[in-house]
Amino acid sequence: MKIVAADVLVTSPGRNFVTLKVTTEDGLTGLGDATLNGRELSVASYLSDHVVPLLLGRDARNIEDAWQFLYRSAYWRRGPVTMSAISAVDSALWDIKAKAAGMPLYQLLGGASRRGIRAYGHASGRDLEQLFDSMRHHLELGFRAIRVQTSVPSLNAVYGVPATPATKGENGHYEPAQRGPLPAEEDWDTRAYLRHIPGVFEAVRNAFGPELPLLHDGHHRMTPIEAARLGKALEPYDLFWLEDCTPAENQEALRLVRQHTTTPLAIGEVFNTVWDYQTLIREQLIDYVRSSVTHAGGITPMRKLMDFAAQYQVKSGMHGATDISPVGMAAALHLDLAIHNFGIQEYMPHNELTNEVFRQTFTFQDGYLHPGDQPGLGVELDEKAAAQFPYQAAYLPFSRLKDGTIHDW
Ligand code: CS2
Ligand code: MG
């Protein structure tokens, strides 16, 4: 089953996406997501300039060999650009293999381990009133687990809170990457945030009761001791997880957080390999793996990572923001359905334009996602529609503290 073509498709229906389309001599095609928010063209170039020439003529059936070849023969390993490019190839080959077998990918990965995939949605607000409206809105949309993000008094813009609140019928679209020649600057003050957030969760619990699973994203902004303090302060509100509470390049930093709080911890959406997790998982410093198929090298390594995590009862919590394309989302859902140690799946619905370009068959009902039963991943890309939305430069914002110091966004 020789590969006869590999096309790198860049489109921007509302936001930028990079997709690899692999075609075999038998006319089978497979798709893979290679979208890296704010750095999209670097992965597109890595693919078209360096990887595509290596794919032509290869046997599409040898997925593991292709993965090892792209990872090891590059000499320069790991990192978001390399691993997003390899991921796209890996997903596309799994898509082809499942289509050739005439079954949805999850069947090839061992079949379904559950009826559906529990998802969480994003509620947010500049104040409690807006937040409660957004939470009610997401409950009406069918979400049964909700991530809570709010503004912080005295700060202009904060991660996770759209400039304009969601209105009826809208999905409260928060797209952090803003189109334009330069990134937007946001201000940050951790002490103001730490004073504000516990009160928000107290109010949410009072209004929505003790059962609703609540999540919060610290978005890499606290030092380990600040993260420990927040985790402890949130214990009375029984969070499902506190996410990215501290930049975790220094994995040992989580020991200090773990010492002080039992709030479950989720980390890893910016991680690209199992090695980013070794200490975190081996020492039980986290409870959920946040990597996505798109940024962690594909389905092949993501499944191995989850097998490693399973030994420590650590579960999946895959990243599913809108910069994970419908192709990346579908790949995540097939893996979510098949693995045993599934935890929860992030789900930010894409906008209508995106859904015109990417024809997807996965469903969301009563709080649960399902990848569908089409052969392969179950997503096709309408290249004619995609061509109508050329790439537009866009950057994620950055943060500065009050004294002008650059901070983690
Ligand atoms: C966030 C993302 O969804 C999340 O958990 O951390 O929205 C993240 O900011 C974006 O994916 C960055 O591209
Ligand atoms: Mg996050």
Side-chain angles (χ1 to χ4, degrees), residues 120 122 147 159 217-220 243-244 269 290 319 346:
Y120 73 89
H122 290 191
R147 189 189 81 166
Y159 164 74
D217 194 342
H219 223 258
H220 326 270
E243 177 187 338
D244 285 332
E269 70 182 48
R290 280 282 290 151
H319 184 212
E346 178 178 18

Side-chain angles (χ1 to χ4, degrees), residues 35-332:
T35 306
L36 187 63
N37 212 2
R39 297 290 184 273
E40 293 89 353
L41 296 184
S42 63
V43 186
S45 158
Y46 191 106
L47 281 167
S48 41
D49 297 333
H50 302 296
V51 170
V52 166
L54 304 178
L55 296 178
L56 303 178
R58 287 188 69 88
D59 187 335
R61 296 171 299 178
N62 300 336
I63 304 178
E64 179 72 31
D65 182 70
W67 196 91
Q68 296 297 342
F69 171 68
L70 292 173
Y71 185 74
R72 294 174 194 280
S73 74
Y75 193 62
W76 312 106
R77 300 179 182 185
R78 303 170 68 175
V81 174
T82 300
M83 301 316 286
S84 300
I86 297 177
S87 169
V89 177
D90 187 76
S91 292
L93 298 184
W94 277 109
D95 193 10
I96 287 169
K97 192 174 273 288
K99 283 179 179 170
M103 59 177 81
L105 179 53
Y106 73 85
Q107 289 294 8
L108 210 54
L109 297 173
S113 293
R114 52 199 55 78
R115 285 182 296 279
I117 297 159
R118 179 161 63 156
Y120 73 89
H122 290 191
S124 61
R126 300 196 71 77
D127 55 33
L128 284 181
E129 192 191 339
Q130 277 183 14
L131 173 64
F132 288 5
D133 283 350
S134 177
M135 290 190 68
R136 281 186 284 271
H137 179 55
H138 281 79
L139 290 171
E140 280 159 24
L141 289 173
F143 285 99
R144 296 291 171 267
I146 295 185
R147 189 189 81 166
V148 170
Q149 305 290 136
T150 70
S151 297
V152 175
S154 78
L155 296 180
N156 302 325
V158 168
Y159 164 74
V161 184
T164 48
T167 51
K168 210 137 200 53
E170 272 193 356
N171 60 21
H173 200 58
Y174 170 68
E175 183 49 68
Q178 299 302 312
R179 289 176 167 167
L182 294 172
E185 178 175 330
E186 296 184 351
D187 54 353
W188 181 250
D189 178 345
T190 307
R191 290 176 56 76
Y193 165 77
L194 290 176
R195 281 194 302 272
H196 182 62
I197 293 299
V200 170
F201 278 90
E202 183 182 13
V204 168
R205 278 290 178 226
N206 290 341
F208 292 87
E211 282 165 23
L212 180 64
L214 297 176
L215 303 85
H216 181 65
D217 194 342
H219 223 258
H220 326 270
R221 292 168 186 226
M222 290 167 272
T223 63
I225 199 65
E226 290 166 342
R229 172 180 157 189
L230 182 63
K232 199 171 180 63
L234 292 176
E235 282 175 14
Y237 314 115
D238 186 25
L239 264 65
F240 184 93
W241 78 34
L242 172 59
E243 177 187 338
D244 285 332
C245 58
T246 189
E249 290 104 326
N250 167 21
Q251 298 181 41
E252 295 165 2
L254 274 298
R255 290 182 187 147
L256 186 64
V257 183
R258 234 7 175 197
Q259 270 168 25
H260 291 279
T261 180
T262 57
T263 292
L265 301 174
I267 279 184
E269 70 182 48
V270 297
F271 287 176
N272 320 105
T273 68
V274 65
W275 287 279
D276 298 316
Y277 287 96
Q278 273 194 320
T279 303
L280 293 172
I281 290 177
R282 212 177 37 227
E283 294 186 18
Q284 310 276 183
L285 299 177
I286 62 168
D287 306 287
Y288 297 93
V289 166
R290 280 282 290 151
S291 282
S292 62
V293 168
T294 301
H295 299 134
I299 291 160
T300 301
M302 195 65 202
R303 195 161 61 155
K304 296 174 185 174
L305 169 56
M306 291 318 303
D307 287 345
F308 169 53
Q311 297 168 33
Y312 298 87
Q313 295 158 289
V314 173
K315 295 182 175 178
S316 72
M318 283 197 253
H319 184 212
T322 43
D323 48 292
I324 303 289
S325 86
V327 176
M329 195 66 192

